[in-house]
Amino acid sequence: MSLLNKNRYLGKPLLGFMALLILLTGCTDLNDTNKETDPSQTLVIQHATIVDVRSGKLVNNQTITITKNKITHIGNSEDVDIPDFAQVRNAKGQYVIPGLWDMHVHLEENYKNAFPLFLANGVTGVREMGAALTNVDQWNKSIQAGMTAPRLVYAGMTLNGGPADEAPHMLYLKTEEEAREAVRHNAEIGAGHIKVYSWLPRSLFLAVMDESKKFGLPVVGHLPVEVRASEAVQLGFKSIEHLHGLFIGTSSIEDELFENADMSDLLGYSLAEIEASQHYDSEKADKLFRTFKEKEVWPVPTMVTYYNMAKTEIDTRSKYVPTAVQEYWAEVIRATPPEQTELMAAINSTTPGMVKKLNDAGVPMLAGTDSSYEMTNFIYGISLHDELEMLVKSGLTPLQALQTATLNPSRYLEREQELGTIEEGKLADLVLLDKNPLEDIRNTTSISAVVLDGTLMEKRTLDQSVKTYPVIQVADTKGESE
């Protein structure tokens, strides 16, 4: 999410685009946020091939019985008796995977567009990574009033330092007491973990870490520029968004950069990361990655972020994005100077290598997209499938990529007993696919139906709930605001 509003974003294009680098983190209690199903409801999915996202095995010809909102029985279709009153869905020739999670999104006031798009794309859970409290209130009230929505965890306000900006989702902190009060306030409004930002001073970061422990809330987000990755990991930092700080933390010039590099703004920090990527120290990296696994720290690469921002046209799939948003994107694209494009290209060239190194070291990751209408070419739901494809291109197997959006989020959220795999006793969040995602990760887009909290939603119904708009061309808006 950008720190800058539209006018400032366009007025300071370099800082605006770099602000997109700095993204957020958050979470709340994973409550059942959707309406309860009828207690008498029984849904039976017959003749399905279940994808075991732990082992990668395919279990053919299975019948899944769902009562209320939980999976109550799984068995061979030839051996399962179907209750007369059950709703039966034939899934012969189809593959069933757990519902997908996007672990880094920004809903803002766009939730009415975002929720249907997520569900239409098989995303049954999202982690919202920083928002104004008025937005949080809007989502919760709408969901409580019956709006169909993915499961939602959120961070509340983002804790930052530095000069105050106009970003409504940020709290700009000056003292340790302010930092502790900010943690308490977020806890009161239901935040499931505390999100920090790049410019939070180290002393305040330590206060946030300490205060959060009192509430049992993990601290996540951007690695503050004054904090080394090795220190944050030892302190219990739980997820590192956008791989921030990992290039510096795995380089042989880490000490030099902390002593001499000007990382007081986004440009300087990004250039330091790019320089560090050219001095990779495998021994330091191995030690850091071992600690990641021991402490259960989760990298969230959000590779799709700069990929989307580097596009010079409106994505043709933006028919799902309101026209006013597309017009804003066109303005941003036209205002992008060549040096910003070069910087984004440099980031795009370094990130896949770090993702491969993390994966080769056995560090589990989370799939996130940073989806937000403030940044160009992000499409809620669709961008997650792009992220999965990019993870595979960076060295993950299709199974490992699928795990970043299913099994791994359940482990991160400490809800593995309820989510992340298809097993008896778990919540019934499922996606039915026409094609095998283990053969080609792009097959996660071949959605036939979605089950959310035990309720079956066919693809045609999901599609009907999604609004569409004409896709504009950047050239079509040229001169309108000049």
Side-chain angles (χ1 to χ4, degrees):
M1 176 182 291
S2 171
L3 291 179
L4 307 177
N5 62 23
K6 176 176 177 180
N7 291 333
R8 297 190 64 198
Y9 186 89
L10 293 173
K12 299 181 180 179
L14 182 56
L15 289 180
F17 269 94
M18 291 315 303
L20 306 176
L21 221 177
I22 298 185
L23 307 157
L24 318 170
T25 302
C27 184
T28 80
D29 264 347
L30 187 59
N31 297 317
D32 292 341
T33 57
N34 303 288
K35 287 193 302 184
E36 285 193 18
T37 55
D38 184 333
S40 65
Q41 179 183 359
T42 298
L43 170 65
V44 176
I45 300 174
Q46 279 188 310
H47 307 299
T49 296
I50 294 177
V51 178
D52 184 340
V53 297
R54 280 202 182 96
S55 67
K57 295 180 179 179
L58 299 176
V59 189
N60 298 315
N61 196 29
Q62 296 295 292
T63 288
I64 305 169
T65 302
I66 298 167
T67 305
K68 298 182 181 179
N69 66 342
K70 290 188 176 181
I71 300 171
T72 52
H73 183 71
I74 300 175
N76 189 285
S77 294
E78 309 306 324
D79 302 326
V80 176
D81 294 327
I82 307 301
D84 293 337
F85 54 84
Q87 176 187 7
V88 180
R89 171 54 154 84
N90 188 344
K92 186 174 182 179
Q94 297 183 340
Y95 300 82
V96 183
I97 62 173
L100 301 171
W101 277 77
D102 188 334
M103 296 297 285
H104 192 130
V105 307
H106 299 289
L107 293 174
E108 298 139 348
E109 69 277 8
N110 308 314
Y111 66 101
K112 292 181 181 179
N113 291 105
F115 288 164
L117 273 170
F118 281 128
L119 295 175
N121 286 280
V123 179
T124 60
V126 298
R127 187 178 68 148
E128 218 288 340
M129 301 299 280
L133 298 186
T134 53
N135 292 147
V136 175
D137 190 50
Q138 286 174 336
W139 315 328
N140 287 334
K141 285 183 178 179
S142 295
I143 292 170
Q144 291 166 7
M147 177 178 286
T148 302
R151 300 183 188 276
L152 172 64
V153 294
Y154 57 86
M157 299 286 283
T158 299
L159 310 189
N160 198 8
D165 207 308
E166 299 169 8
H169 63 288
M170 292 278 186
L171 290 175
Y172 298 91
L173 309 174
K174 300 297 183 184
T175 68
E176 290 188 17
E177 181 50 39
E178 286 180 352
R180 293 179 184 276
E181 176 57 29
V183 172
R184 293 192 289 266
H185 185 59
N186 273 348
E188 288 172 0
I189 59 95
H193 50 250
I194 302 300
K195 155 64 181 303
V196 300
Y197 212 62
S198 300
W199 313 122
L200 188 69
R202 180 176 177 276
S203 61
L204 302 193
F205 174 76
L206 296 176
V208 168
M209 294 294 298
D210 180 65
E211 192 68 21
S212 297
K213 290 178 182 178
K214 300 175 184 178
F215 293 88
L217 295 175
V219 180
V220 300
H222 290 211
L223 184 68
V225 297
E226 293 183 7
V227 180
R228 297 183 186 227
S230 56
E231 179 183 25
V233 169
Q234 290 294 341
L235 289 170
F237 203 56
K238 189 166 183 179
S239 76
I240 296 180
E241 308 305 305
H242 324 299
L243 309 183
H244 282 186
L246 295 194
F247 296 98
I248 294 173
T250 56
S251 76
S252 60
I253 61 170
E254 180 181 20
D255 291 342
E256 177 184 339
L257 289 172
F258 267 90
E259 291 173 6
N260 301 318
D262 181 3
M263 296 188 286
S264 60
D265 59 23
L266 296 171
L267 176 59
Y269 180 69
S270 300
L271 293 175
E273 284 270 83
I274 292 171
E275 182 180 1
S277 71
Q278 301 170 15
H279 299 271
Y280 184 77
D281 185 325
S282 58
E283 290 187 8
K284 285 186 67 176
D286 289 345
K287 181 179 180 180
L288 181 62
F289 296 162
R290 284 196 302 271
T291 310
F292 270 44
K293 291 187 287 185
E294 292 168 4
K295 300 289 187 179
E296 296 185 337
V297 178
W298 299 85
V300 190
T302 64
M303 301 179 69
V304 74
T305 299
Y306 291 99
Y307 173 75
N308 281 338
M309 290 164 52
K311 293 176 182 176
T312 57
E313 262 299 346
I314 303 296
D315 192 306
T316 57
R317 298 169 298 175
S318 296
K319 63 181 182 180
Y320 303 112
V321 177
T323 301
V325 176
Q326 292 187 49
E327 290 173 346
Y328 166 57
W329 288 355
E331 292 182 55
V332 173
I333 290 171
R334 288 192 292 106
T336 305
E339 57 267 28
Q340 286 185 8
T341 302
E342 293 174 5
L343 181 59
M344 287 185 287
I347 294 169
N348 285 331
S349 68
T350 57
T351 303
M354 180 59 72
V355 169
K356 187 178 189 308
K357 291 179 175 71
L358 286 162
N359 190 59
D360 289 347
V363 178
M365 287 173 272
L366 300 172
T369 64
D370 202 30
S371 290
S372 164
Y373 284 163
E374 285 199 16
M375 296 185 293
T376 56
N377 285 309
F378 284 85
I379 309 170
Y380 292 111
I382 289 176
S383 290
L384 179 66
H385 298 282
D386 293 344
E387 179 74 8
L388 296 179
E389 184 178 354
M390 295 183 76
L391 288 171
V392 170
K393 289 180 178 179
S394 299
L396 277 68
T397 66
L399 174 61
Q400 289 171 333
L402 194 58
Q403 288 171 340
T404 68
T406 55
L407 179 62
N408 292 358
S410 74
R411 293 171 57 195
Y412 166 87
L413 294 167
E414 300 181 357
R415 301 299 292 264
E416 197 174 353
Q417 297 303 310
E418 296 181 289
L419 297 165
T421 58
I422 302 172
E423 297 177 86
E424 293 178 2
K426 292 201 171 184
L427 293 169
D429 292 349
L430 310 171
V431 184
L432 280 63
L433 303 174
D434 289 328
K435 299 178 183 179
N436 182 2
L438 300 184
E439 290 182 352
D440 188 334
I441 194 61
R442 292 174 295 183
N443 290 339
T444 56
T445 63
S446 65
I447 295 169
S448 173
V450 173
V451 177
L452 174 67
D453 206 37
T455 298
L456 176 68
M457 297 174 285
E458 296 290 350
K459 178 62 172 173
R460 62 180 177 274
T461 302
L462 292 167
D463 287 343
Q464 289 170 357
S465 69
V466 175
K467 295 180 180 179
T468 59
Y469 310 83
V471 177
I472 69 172
Q473 301 293 316
V474 171
D476 292 342
T477 62
K478 188 174 183 179
E480 291 181 3
S481 62
E482 293 178 354

